[in-house]
Amino acid sequence: MVGAVLVAGVTVLASGPAAWADFVPGGKGTGSETQVGGGRTGQEVTATAGAVVFDRSKNGSGQSAGPVTSATTWTPPACYYAPKYTPEELEAYLKPIWEAGSTGYEWDAKQRDHYVEGHPYKDFNKEKAGKGYWWDSYVTPGREGDLASLDCTKPIFWVDDNDDPPADIPQAVTPEVLAQLAYAEVRVPSTKVDLAPQNTTKVNLPTWAWLDAAKFKPVSVTAGVPLLGISATTTAEPVSVKIDPGTEDAVTFPASGVCGIHDGRIGEPYAKGKADEIPPCGVRYLRSSGDGSYPLKATVTWKIHWTGSGGAGGDLPDCTFGATQDVVVQEIQAVNR
């Protein structure tokens, strides 16, 4: 039965290496002995606890790439539930705890009643071996110190193969939850803009700003649970950049400072002979930066959407990622032709 489920998982996640099939509850895979901080050198596929596997081969990369920040107060879940134990593995995990007695007789007795004595489970559900798994909670990588990581307090529970997890557990792994976990793994390129004039400009001279379209293409991360045959791909697409000149003594183009994407690019590269024209995206400084510089910040807004197993999909909150660069503004008037 396990083999059949694993094959289904590989079918759904066909873009990933065959090694994805190794991940099973408890980290007892044939090719990958642990699911905590998994992965292999030189590959873009890694795993975390709970048999959640991430394919980052289409993610942003390079030293300048960084994690996105939600434009709202929403954040991906700090903890989630996923398959972890077979009946035998749960027995091997809990019995030593009970025998040690460190958790107290009353707690141990309740646990035995719950998982062994039939209220509601009997003998760790061994009669269902190969027909489902025990699910437990996991902390999302990178959220270990977050108080929200303590929200997953439901006791270990059983889910039959091909059944959905209980509806009253919002953090139970589903395609949508996988999409949210993938959201946390998205990396986008730095938003340093090209400027003309570059680095040093003049008071009252329009400074053109644009982004290299080749660097600002959609990126995506796929998260999946091969054991369950479910996956979700979260995609981030750049939609605009907001220019903050770094001083109130400046005028932005357009006036809102928000430059949208047109014909696959943000802004327009400066061309000779356009020095007196108003750029579609840019800034005009009204005062010199003196002996220093102004910290121009460009923040790109990325629209996030996801698609998952069974035709599921939808939108997630927009996210932003910004970078700051120094611009020297001189008093000397000049014409840049």
Side-chain angles (χ1 to χ4, degrees):
M1 182 63 181
V2 174
V5 175
L6 293 177
V7 170
V10 175
T11 300
V12 172
L13 301 170
S15 63
W20 284 26
D22 295 340
F23 295 98
V24 299
K28 301 299 190 294
T30 57
S32 303
E33 289 305 315
T34 178
Q35 295 171 34
V36 181
R40 300 182 181 182
T41 303
Q43 292 187 356
E44 295 295 336
V45 176
T46 59
T48 65
V52 174
V53 181
F54 294 101
D55 181 353
R56 303 182 182 87
S57 60
K58 297 180 180 179
N59 203 8
S61 60
Q63 293 183 348
S64 65
V68 294
T69 301
S70 172
T72 70
T73 58
W74 177 88
T75 60
C79 61
Y80 62 94
Y81 296 92
K84 187 171 185 180
Y85 304 108
T86 64
E88 293 77 11
E89 288 170 341
L90 182 61
E91 179 181 26
Y93 169 65
L94 288 179
K95 275 195 169 181
I97 297 176
W98 299 341
E99 292 169 358
S102 59
T103 50
Y105 173 80
E106 183 177 353
W107 186 86
D108 292 345
K110 288 182 179 179
Q111 290 275 296
R112 288 190 178 92
D113 186 60
H114 188 79
Y115 294 107
V116 180
E117 303 300 333
H119 302 103
Y121 305 111
K122 185 174 179 62
D123 195 22
F124 300 100
N125 258 10
K126 288 181 181 178
E127 75 280 1
K128 289 192 173 184
K131 299 179 181 179
Y133 291 94
W134 290 103
W135 289 42
D136 200 1
S137 62
Y138 296 93
V139 176
T140 303
R143 302 290 294 278
E144 291 81 1
D146 194 324
L147 288 177
S149 68
L150 305 177
D151 290 345
C152 296
T153 58
K154 185 174 179 61
I156 299 169
F157 57 93
W158 179 267
V159 178
D160 288 331
D161 287 341
N162 301 317
D163 278 0
D164 293 329
D168 62 344
I169 305 178
Q171 306 99 325
V173 70
T174 61
E176 183 172 5
V177 170
L178 287 173
Q180 295 171 5
L181 295 175
Y183 184 110
E185 297 296 319
V186 168
R187 299 293 181 268
V188 294
S190 171
T191 52
K192 184 176 181 179
V193 295
D194 292 309
L195 299 174
Q198 184 178 9
N199 301 325
T200 301
T201 187
K202 311 297 181 182
V203 171
N204 288 324
L205 177 70
T207 299
W208 293 58
W210 68 95
L211 292 173
D212 183 352
K215 295 180 181 179
F216 285 84
K217 295 180 179 179
V219 299
S220 65
V221 173
T222 297
V225 182
L227 187 70
L228 301 177
I230 62 174
S231 67
T233 297
T234 296
T235 301
E237 297 185 75
V239 293
S240 65
V241 62
K242 180 175 177 60
I243 301 295
D244 181 347
T247 174
E248 294 183 355
D249 295 315
V251 175
T252 58
F253 308 108
S256 64
V258 178
C259 307
I261 287 188
H262 299 286
D263 298 327
R265 68 184 184 188
I266 298 177
E268 179 183 329
Y270 173 77
K272 186 176 181 180
K274 292 186 175 183
D276 295 329
E277 295 184 19
I278 299 300
C281 182
V283 60
R284 182 170 67 225
Y285 287 97
L286 307 179
R287 187 184 298 272
S288 165
S289 59
D291 294 331
S293 60
Y294 292 127
L296 182 147
K297 183 175 183 180
T299 302
V300 172
T301 294
W302 298 75
K303 184 174 180 60
I304 309 292
H305 62 87
W306 68 277
T307 57
S309 305
D315 294 328
L316 290 170
D318 291 351
C319 61
T320 58
F321 188 66
T324 300
Q325 57 202 90
D326 294 330
V327 177
V328 175
V329 181
Q330 298 175 342
E331 289 280 5
I332 301 174
Q333 299 296 311
V335 177
N336 185 20
R337 294 188 183 276

